[in-house]
Amino acid sequence: MAKYRPLATALLRQLILVAVVPFFVTAAFFVWQLYPELAQNSADQHQVLAKVLANESELYIRGAEEQIDSLEDFLADLPETHNDEFLRKRLDRFVQNSNHFDAIYFVDTSASITHISIHGADQAAITALYSGVDMSLTPLYQKRGKLIKSGWSNAFLSVVTGRLSIAYMVLIDSREGRKKLVAELAIDRLSKLSNHLAESDYLVMILDQSAQLISHPNPDFSQQQINLSNLPFFQKTAQQDLASSRFQLDGIEYFGTVLSMDTPRWYVVVAQSEKAFTASLYTILEKWLVAIVVAVLLALWMAYRRSLAFSKRFHVLNELATEVALGRYTHSKLEIEIQEFRELSENLITMAKAIEDRENVLQAKEQQLRNTLEKAPNVAVQWYDEFGTVVYWNDASEKIFGYAREDAMGLTLDKLMFDAAATAKFGATLKNVVLKKGSDHDFNLPFRHKLGGKGKILGAVFSISSQDGKALLVSMSTDITKQSNAEESIRKLNSELEARVELRTSDLKATNNELNETLDTLNNTVTQLVHSEKLAALGSLVAGVAHELNTPIGNALMAATSLSDFARDIDAKFRDGSMAKSTFEQFLSDAQSAAGITYRNLEKASELISSFKHVAVDQSSSQRRQFHLSELVNEVLMTLHPQTKLQAIDIDVCISPYIELDSYPGPLGQVISNLVMNAFVHAFCQDERTEERGSGEQGRVEIHAQQEKLQVVLAVKDNGSGISDDALNKIFDPFYTSRLGKGGSGLGLHIVHNIVEEVLGGQIKVDSKLEHGTSFTISIPLVSPYN
Amino acid sequence: MIKLNGFSVARRLALTLSLCMVISSCSETEPWRFGFVGGLSGRISDLGGPARNGMLLAVEEINALGGIDGRQVEAVIKDDQQNPELAKTAVQQLLAQSVDVIIGPVTSSMAVSVVDLANQAETLMMGVTVTTNDLSGKNDFFLRTLSATAVHAAEVADYVYDVLGIRSFSVVYDLKNKSYSQGWANDFSHKFKAKGGLSKQVLGFESGQPEELPKIATRLLEGGPEMVLFVTNSVDAALLAKLVRSQNESVTIGTSEWAGTERLVEMGGKYVEGAIVPQYLDRESQEPAYLVFLESYRKRFNQEPGFPGMIAYNVTKTVISTLLEHPNAKALKQNILNTGRFPSVQGELIFDEFGDARSKTYITMVKDGKFKVQVEL
């Protein structure tokens, strides 16, 4: 399980890490970068110093050499007359005054000492002692057969001084042969050189050719013939003149540089104890450590403070959150500099507000719900536990049952408005709901109002989960006493109803019969009327025909008469021989003209008769045939001509001659006839009819038709006075006429309507606008239905 | 208190380690400390120097092989300058540094003056070229690594009398190393006289006053001994040889083992030709171990080891080999005695129950500047 740390601690840890990282980085840098550099620096310094010191050592050696060289010069220049005594004195003076050499002597060709002087010793005594000493096996004479001619020897134990010494030799030619002048220098003198050369913590050593220590600040060491050829840098010096490394001497670790001198081929070692060497580093390290420790401590302390301060912020935020949790929503903005915190606090406050609002909303809703329950006027709502004890009792319950909330709470219903049976039933219902036994949750039970009245309630029980997990049962019921009573009445009425209905039914039957009869009568009347209308129409048609015929026949008669007269005349003239050519020509032209008139008028009459025949036949029978619409229309118009010619109204017909119908031409002709006559009679006033219209337009009736697929649309338009809107509704009604008392039967359009719809199987529409005109549009199928 | 998780701890460790590196000398494991005391400067330095070198060679060899029990050996060198007071100081200094063993001193007189210190500190002291009778048969912390003077001197007396046929001698000895030199002179004299020889002069002198030497040389020759013996250091012996030879060309010159270093030949030159010099070692040995040792020593120190170098080397190797088996400084002496026999570059080093060893005497004669072995005794 994860551990929880306080923010301050976690932050602190992180900050510690941050603080400590630079420490490690610098430490690493120090170790890997700085230290080697400093070491290198030191080595470089050593080398420089070594060179300088080597130089100085060489100078010292040179100085010593020069002393001998100048002595040698002096001796070389001596005239040979000078004797031993002089020589001795000279040597003695030299060695006593020399600050370099401890002993000086001559070695003859047989390697024996002659003429010796030792610093601080009585010459006479030592001459006796040392004169004649054989030097041939000393390092003055190198092994392997090679003779050291001149220069510096390696360190050796001197027989004349009993001390570890080095000797400088020069060759001098004398009458006795080639002699060596040997000057011995006690090694411990060189210590002085070391001391002189060395700085405070630097160690300067001089080693001879075989790496034997001959000069050390500690004179004792110089004497001990310490051989340092095992030191690491001697391995290196074989390859180069200058080498640096670490070494240990007498238990102390050093870091040193060795430099080989030229003459003599010695080595100068400049070393610094590791301690001194690292001391400088240590001081730096110390300072750095101090600085870094201070810095780290400071950083840590700051980290600590900052962590606390930081976590304080969270405390504040925490408090805010706690307040919100406790339901206290009002807070002013927190004054925090950190942007995210500020945002967080603002968001918290916003959240608090939102929560508050939501709570308010919820509360309001809850209140609403409560009110719904509380204030529902007619719905009694109670809550029961599973034992039937009242735990909630709304206002309506009070009203309906008469028991106040305080009285009802905590009681079971048998103590309230139910009798034992009802209580038991109710209890069973509750149990069913608790045990979720399906649908048995309704109840319909009698109750007893507190004040004694009896009633009934209808309701349902359902369970809702309560907060503590126990069953909470809700009962919602309404007072159905009134309804219940009403039901009773209804039941009673119901039984009576049957009888009443019977009675009414028979009445109605009788009335129905009467009505049916009346309807039949009416229908007959209508049929008769239609028939008489037809007759009337036919009659007028005949009248019209006769009238029409009158004219052409009359004309023809007149012309024939004229012709007869002409014939009689000419006959007469012929007979009496007064017929001139011109008269005969006149007779011919008159006769032709009269014949023409006769012919044309008789033809016209014949046409007319034929047309009328058609119409009559058609109109008197409802026979079906195929015909061209245009022909039919023309025929009809022709029959109407007698009436239409009286009026100054144009009739325009625009019908394609190709429209062919398989239909009842009679009835259709009647339709057209009625519509046209209607236009003439109703659309135009007397003046218009008989005279030119005074204003504007010419009165016109247009008849045009077009075929639309299997239908033909026939329109009869006029630009007459139009029909008012309320009249439009009625024009197809039987016996509707605007010319009541003026001879209109009111059946024309009714008949039209009937024919169009029933006989022709089509539809008729009317459009009209007062003062503008009327238009009847008939759509009928090309092939009328068979009836 | 801030608790650090594992990661932090690792960093702390790294810190410690890096600091360690920075401060450099993280303490390594404590090294073994072998102390050395001997005369490193002056007339005696031909004993002390090579002795120290011999020890160093052995120490450097074992260090190169990884040390003893994983620990390096550190050599702590002290110079007693053949001065008893300085010797005591030196040993005290060594003991103060808690050395595990002291190799040295190189002369009997120094040994005698410091042995009590070793005993008190219960620190083992292995004498190098110490042969004094005074320290024989003692169950103490001093181990004598050569036969006692008595043995050696007597053997020389036998040789001189029997082989050389010499019947009379004079002897001079260095009072500054009395416990050796006087013992030697007496032991020789005793044996020689017991055999029937004559003792002419027995002289003591203080080394370090070379102006006295001519007189001594003269006195030695008084009575016409057939042989003069120098129980002195090599410098004095060389000078005496010259002085004596200058006066008398025929007398046989001999020294004790003490003067038997290369220095004697160097300094004596022609005057020591024909001198009889007993040695603790066979200079002409062809034993591989010896040759290897010679080679190493010469290479390292650019000089001859002589008997001091060899003996110090052997002694140090003995200590090392014992510690390798039982890395316990406190029980060192006991372990050495328990083991008893140790290989050396010439033969064996054998200790008796008192820690006294037996060594051989090789009689040599200086010929052409070299010690030629005459006989092994």
Side-chain angles (χ1 to χ4, degrees):
Chain A
M1 183 180 134
K3 281 196 197 163
Y4 295 101
R5 315 183 200 102
L7 175 66
T9 314
L11 255 181
L12 191 57
R13 247 192 253 191
Q14 302 290 332
L15 289 171
I16 286 170
L17 267 178
V18 168
V20 147
V21 160
F23 177 76
F24 286 113
V25 169
T26 50
F29 173 72
F30 195 89
V31 168
W32 283 304
Q33 200 64 29
L34 207 57
Y35 186 77
E37 268 187 40
L38 287 170
Q40 188 55 45
N41 261 350
S42 223
D44 294 339
Q45 277 180 18
H46 277 187
Q47 292 186 352
V48 167
L49 190 60
K51 284 198 183 121
V52 168
L53 294 177
N55 270 341
E56 282 211 42
S57 309
E58 285 194 15
L59 281 174
Y60 178 86
I61 302 295
R62 291 291 98 69
E65 286 172 7
E66 267 166 33
Q67 285 191 349
I68 300 299
D69 289 338
S70 64
L71 179 63
E72 183 221 351
D73 285 341
F74 172 78
L75 292 174
D77 287 342
L78 271 182
E80 293 181 11
T81 51
H82 283 263
N83 59 9
D84 284 344
E85 192 56 39
F86 180 80
L87 205 60
R88 257 185 231 109
K89 282 213 180 101
R90 191 67 197 86
L91 286 179
D92 212 32
R93 210 166 350 138
F94 175 84
V95 86
Q96 304 306 342
N97 294 334
S98 169
N99 52 355
H100 287 112
F101 297 104
D102 301 296
I104 189 162
Y105 48 89
F106 278 102
V107 176
D108 65 15
T109 45
S110 60
S112 302
I113 290 180
T114 66
H115 305 98
I116 178 169
S117 274
I118 295 177
H119 182 90
D122 173 51
Q123 214 189 31
I126 58 171
T127 307
L129 184 56
Y130 297 117
S131 177
V133 164
D134 179 10
M135 301 300 283
S136 65
L137 296 175
T138 63
L140 295 181
Y141 291 81
Q142 213 171 12
K143 300 163 202 163
R144 301 191 203 103
K146 267 180 71 180
L147 250 61
I148 290 183
K149 293 203 160 68
S150 57
W152 289 94
S153 76
N154 274 349
F156 65 100
L157 185 59
S158 163
V159 69
V160 301
T161 59
R163 290 150 80 183
L164 196 64
S165 308
I166 50 173
Y168 184 67
M169 297 167 287
V170 293
L171 291 173
I172 291 182
D173 286 317
S174 75
R175 52 170 179 246
E176 287 97 13
R178 182 159 272 198
K179 288 208 246 195
K180 275 184 193 279
L181 178 62
V182 178
E184 278 186 8
L185 189 151
I187 291 288
D188 46 5
R189 277 187 191 270
L190 290 177
S191 302
K192 293 195 201 125
L193 179 62
S194 277
N195 277 320
H196 168 69
L197 292 176
E199 312 221 333
S200 54
D201 52 359
Y202 277 95
L203 169 69
V204 178
M205 297 188 289
I206 301 178
L207 309 169
D208 71 8
Q209 273 117 296
S210 45
Q212 196 158 282
L213 182 64
I214 57 178
S215 175
H216 189 281
N218 184 343
D220 293 334
F221 280 8
S222 311
Q223 301 246 32
Q224 289 175 12
Q225 294 176 272
I226 298 172
N227 190 303
L228 297 176
S229 61
N230 61 327
L231 294 186
F233 45 51
F234 273 106
Q235 272 60 287
K236 292 186 202 169
T237 324
Q239 287 106 35
Q240 64 214 64
D241 283 336
L242 192 69
S244 300
S245 71
R246 279 191 182 72
F247 64 96
Q248 200 193 66
L249 186 64
D250 201 36
I252 304 174
E253 286 276 345
Y254 290 96
F255 181 78
T257 303
V258 64
L259 184 64
S260 55
M261 288 166 61
D262 284 323
T263 43
R265 194 120 183 105
W266 292 347
Y267 301 98
V268 175
V269 175
V270 177
Q272 201 181 12
S273 68
E274 276 282 3
K275 288 212 173 66
F277 173 67
T278 50
S280 55
L281 283 177
Y282 278 5
T283 46
I284 298 176
L285 180 65
E286 269 171 30
K287 286 188 187 141
W288 170 79
L289 263 178
V290 165
I292 198 85
V293 163
V294 166
V296 167
L297 282 176
L298 201 64
L300 288 177
W301 182 74
M302 296 260 309
Y304 173 69
R305 297 291 311 219
R306 290 283 92 215
S307 309
L308 280 183
F310 212 71
S311 64
K312 263 208 194 107
R313 299 261 188 306
F314 280 99
H315 278 306
V316 174
L317 286 171
N318 234 5
E319 275 174 18
L320 177 60
T322 314
E323 291 281 292
V324 169
L326 289 173
R328 291 193 275 275
Y329 298 125
T330 50
H331 253 282
S332 51
K333 274 206 186 97
L334 299 176
E335 288 308 316
I336 308 173
E337 327 69 70
I338 297 173
Q339 189 189 337
E340 283 82 353
F341 283 175
R342 190 191 203 89
E343 284 175 10
L344 183 60
S345 76
E346 283 175 4
N347 285 337
L348 272 175
I349 291 170
T350 310
M351 184 178 83
K353 279 215 177 54
I355 291 173
E356 193 178 18
D357 290 342
R358 269 188 230 138
E359 271 194 11
N360 287 342
V361 166
L362 281 171
Q363 259 183 14
K365 282 216 172 105
E366 196 196 315
Q367 196 54 45
Q368 281 175 359
L369 280 170
R370 289 198 93 86
N371 286 347
T372 310
L373 291 180
E374 277 296 315
K375 298 200 172 17
N378 295 319
V379 181
V381 181
Q382 312 95 42
W383 290 356
Y384 299 96
D385 65 11
E386 53 190 332
F387 305 112
T389 314
V390 174
V391 294
Y392 172 73
W393 191 265
N394 79 337
D395 290 352
S397 302
E398 283 185 304
K399 197 176 88 178
I400 292 174
F401 302 123
Y403 293 93
R405 180 176 297 116
E406 306 80 64
D407 301 334
M409 291 289 280
L411 298 180
T412 49
L413 295 177
D414 54 336
K415 303 230 175 5
L416 297 165
M417 68 282 189
F418 279 168
D419 60 17
T423 311
K425 281 217 187 97
F426 189 71
T429 311
L430 287 180
K431 270 219 175 57
N432 284 336
V433 172
V434 166
L435 299 171
K436 295 191 188 2
K437 276 215 189 120
S439 54
D440 198 359
H441 46 63
D442 298 335
F443 60 88
N444 185 336
L445 298 166
F447 71 90
R448 204 177 42 238
H449 192 277
K450 186 173 179 186
L451 301 173
K454 289 220 175 102
K456 262 202 163 173
I457 49 166
L458 174 71
V461 174
F462 58 93
S463 75
I464 56 175
S465 49
S466 77
Q467 278 181 313
D468 53 2
K470 289 209 192 126
L472 191 62
L473 300 153
V474 182
S475 164
M476 294 179 104
S477 49
T478 49
D479 186 348
I480 56 162
T481 314
K482 286 204 187 95
Q483 287 87 319
S484 187
N485 292 340
E487 267 178 41
E488 271 303 310
S489 319
I490 287 172
R491 217 169 282 126
K492 272 194 209 139
L493 281 172
N494 218 23
S495 52
E496 288 165 28
L497 196 62
E498 284 277 328
R500 282 204 212 137
V501 166
E502 264 301 315
L503 207 58
R504 291 274 162 80
T505 309
S506 54
D507 283 352
L508 278 171
K509 267 192 187 148
T511 315
N512 200 27
N513 286 334
E514 280 182 36
L515 280 171
N516 276 335
E517 281 174 25
T518 311
L519 198 62
D520 284 341
T521 312
L522 276 170
N523 275 338
N524 285 336
T525 312
V526 166
T527 312
Q528 281 180 11
L529 278 171
V530 167
H531 193 64
S532 54
E533 178 66 29
K534 263 190 184 169
L535 286 174
L538 199 60
S540 70
L541 181 72
V542 169
V545 163
H547 187 71
E548 284 296 312
L549 274 177
N550 215 19
T551 311
I553 291 176
N555 291 344
L557 195 64
M558 205 163 43
T561 307
S562 295
L563 183 62
S564 172
D565 286 341
F566 295 144
R568 222 177 318 123
D569 277 350
I570 211 66
D571 188 55
K573 284 183 176 158
F574 183 60
R575 286 198 198 257
D576 67 21
S578 63
M579 191 181 74
K581 193 182 172 186
S582 59
T583 317
F584 190 69
E585 279 175 357
Q586 182 69 40
F587 166 75
L588 285 175
S589 128
D590 291 339
Q592 277 172 348
S593 152
I597 293 170
T598 306
Y599 165 72
R600 277 199 301 276
N601 278 294
L602 284 177
E603 197 179 51
K604 191 167 181 194
S606 172
E607 252 183 49
L608 215 57
I609 288 167
S610 150
S611 294
F612 291 160
K613 230 168 66 174
H614 270 146
V615 171
V617 167
D618 289 342
Q619 287 206 352
S620 63
S621 77
S622 301
Q623 286 218 342
R624 187 187 179 105
R625 66 179 173 89
Q626 289 176 335
F627 59 94
H628 290 271
L629 184 63
S630 55
E631 278 183 14
L632 178 66
V633 171
N634 284 334
E635 286 171 1
V636 168
L637 284 176
M638 229 190 300
T639 58
L640 294 177
H641 196 265
Q643 286 142 22
T644 59
K645 72 176 181 193
L646 297 172
Q647 291 146 25
I649 295 170
D650 293 335
I651 299 179
D652 294 330
V653 178
C654 184
I655 297 175
S656 164
Y658 296 106
I659 300 177
E660 198 175 323
L661 294 162
D662 176 359
S663 183
Y664 302 93
L668 180 57
Q670 187 167 7
V671 163
I672 296 163
S673 167
N674 279 6
L675 287 177
V676 171
M677 284 318 296
N678 266 2
F680 271 75
V681 167
H682 296 287
F684 304 106
C685 68
Q686 194 75 17
D687 304 324
E688 293 168 340
R689 275 183 262 139
T690 51
E691 291 166 13
E692 294 285 327
R693 285 168 76 132
S695 58
E697 279 175 66
Q698 171 66 21
R700 184 182 286 115
V701 175
E702 291 172 8
I703 305 174
H704 44 84
Q706 60 220 44
Q707 182 168 340
E708 289 176 8
K709 291 195 188 146
L710 296 174
Q711 299 231 331
V712 67
V713 178
L714 176 71
V716 177
K717 286 189 195 172
D718 68 68
N719 58 351
S721 57
I723 308 173
S724 68
D725 285 335
D726 10 275
L728 267 180
N729 293 331
K730 297 179 192 163
I731 49 170
F732 292 115
D733 294 347
F735 306 112
Y736 178 82
T737 175
S738 62
R739 291 172 62 79
L740 199 64
K742 292 183 194 160
S745 63
L747 287 174
L749 283 179
H750 177 70
I751 291 169
V752 160
H753 188 268
N754 281 351
I755 291 171
V756 166
E757 300 224 331
E758 282 157 41
V759 176
L760 302 174
Q763 289 164 342
I764 180 166
K765 280 192 292 213
V766 61
D767 277 308
S768 184
K769 201 161 175 189
L770 283 172
E771 306 295 320
H772 282 87
T774 308
S775 161
F776 288 89
T777 313
I778 296 167
S779 331
I780 51 173
L782 290 171
V783 178
S784 300
Y786 291 87
N787 42 344
Chain B
M1 188 58 185
I2 303 155
K3 277 202 190 140
L4 301 168
N5 60 22
F7 179 63
S8 250
V9 167
R11 290 206 105 175
R12 293 268 147 159
L13 265 177
L15 159 67
T16 315
L17 278 172
S18 67
L19 264 180
C20 223
M21 282 164 66
V22 166
I23 297 175
S24 169
S25 45
C26 280
S27 59
E28 304 150 335
T29 44
E30 273 288 300
W32 299 94
R33 280 202 194 82
F34 289 7
F36 174 88
V37 62
L40 294 173
S41 50
R43 300 177 106 79
I44 247 9
S45 62
D46 63 329
L47 283 189
R52 175 211 52 212
N53 289 347
M55 174 189 155
L56 276 181
L57 184 65
V59 164
E60 282 168 14
E61 279 176 2
I62 195 63
N63 277 344
L65 292 173
I68 301 169
D69 197 35
R71 294 159 59 185
Q72 297 275 289
V73 178
E74 193 185 311
V76 188
I77 316 288
K78 297 286 175 201
D79 181 12
D80 64 15
Q81 296 182 28
Q82 191 61 6
N83 178 320
E85 291 309 312
L86 289 178
K88 284 197 191 120
T89 314
V91 168
Q92 279 164 347
Q93 285 172 351
L94 286 177
L95 292 171
Q97 285 191 44
S98 309
V99 294
D100 300 305
V101 63
I102 298 177
I103 312 284
V106 299
T107 59
S108 303
S109 52
M110 295 302 107
V112 160
S113 60
V114 299
V115 69
D116 290 330
L117 292 171
N119 286 335
Q120 275 168 20
E122 296 192 357
T123 302
L124 179 62
M125 183 179 271
M126 306 274 292
V128 179
T129 47
V130 173
T131 56
T132 177
N133 304 321
D134 300 340
L135 296 175
S136 302
K138 288 190 182 168
N139 192 357
D140 54 11
F141 277 87
F142 181 82
L143 293 186
R144 206 192 60 223
T145 58
L146 293 171
S147 293
T149 311
V151 173
H152 285 291
E155 283 172 352
V156 175
D158 283 335
Y159 176 80
V160 164
Y161 192 91
D162 297 331
V163 176
L164 296 180
I166 288 172
R167 293 292 177 267
S168 62
F169 78 97
S170 286
V171 64
V172 61
Y173 64 91
D174 184 351
L175 289 165
K176 282 200 170 168
N177 195 7
K178 216 160 69 167
S179 49
Y180 163 77
S181 57
Q182 194 176 53
W184 202 97
N186 286 341
D187 293 332
F188 179 89
S189 188
H190 198 76
K191 191 71 195 281
F192 194 76
K193 283 197 274 196
K195 287 178 92 89
L198 275 175
S199 160
K200 292 288 181 189
Q201 299 288 338
V202 177
L203 300 172
F205 85 110
E206 291 246 341
S207 173
Q209 294 166 32
E211 53 278 12
E212 300 293 315
L213 288 175
K215 282 191 224 129
I216 290 170
T218 313
R219 278 180 64 193
L220 269 176
L221 289 168
E222 282 171 15
E226 288 173 36
M227 185 175 188
V228 290
L229 281 166
F230 309 135
V231 189
T232 65
N233 65 44
S234 52
V235 180
D236 296 328
L239 282 171
L240 281 167
K242 175 218 167 237
L243 290 165
V244 162
R245 252 307 160 259
S246 312
Q247 292 182 37
N248 182 333
E249 284 191 11
S250 60
V251 68
T252 306
I253 291 175
T255 72
S256 69
E257 301 86 352
W258 184 13
T261 67
E262 281 71 11
R263 297 282 102 76
L264 174 70
V265 170
E266 249 181 54
M267 292 180 286
K270 63 189 179 197
Y271 299 108
V272 294
E273 275 291 308
I276 305 296
V277 181
Q279 298 278 348
Y280 295 120
L281 85 165
D282 176 4
R283 286 176 183 278
E284 291 161 40
S285 166
Q286 297 298 308
E287 257 186 80
Y290 177 67
L291 292 176
V292 165
F293 161 72
L294 260 190
E295 184 63 37
S296 311
Y297 188 100
R298 280 178 187 150
K299 192 170 158 198
R300 170 71 181 86
F301 297 107
N302 209 14
Q303 53 175 222
E304 294 297 311
F307 68 87
M310 188 194 85
I311 291 165
Y313 182 78
N314 285 337
V315 164
T316 313
K317 292 272 288 189
T318 301
V319 169
I320 287 171
S321 67
T322 309
L323 283 177
L324 277 172
E325 270 204 44
H326 310 278
N328 181 347
K330 295 253 181 304
L332 185 56
K333 174 196 152 196
Q334 202 50 53
N335 289 327
I336 290 177
L337 293 182
N338 288 345
T339 311
R341 300 170 85 98
F342 296 90
S344 78
V345 299
Q346 285 189 359
E348 280 183 317
L349 185 56
I350 307 168
F351 291 99
D352 67 12
E353 73 269 31
F354 295 107
D356 299 328
R358 288 205 56 87
S359 52
K360 294 194 178 152
T361 304
Y362 300 86
I363 305 288
T364 67
M365 185 192 289
V366 180
K367 274 199 189 140
D368 298 324
K370 291 206 184 346
F371 291 107
K372 288 273 180 241
V373 178
Q374 303 301 107
V375 72
E376 180 184 310
L377 299 170

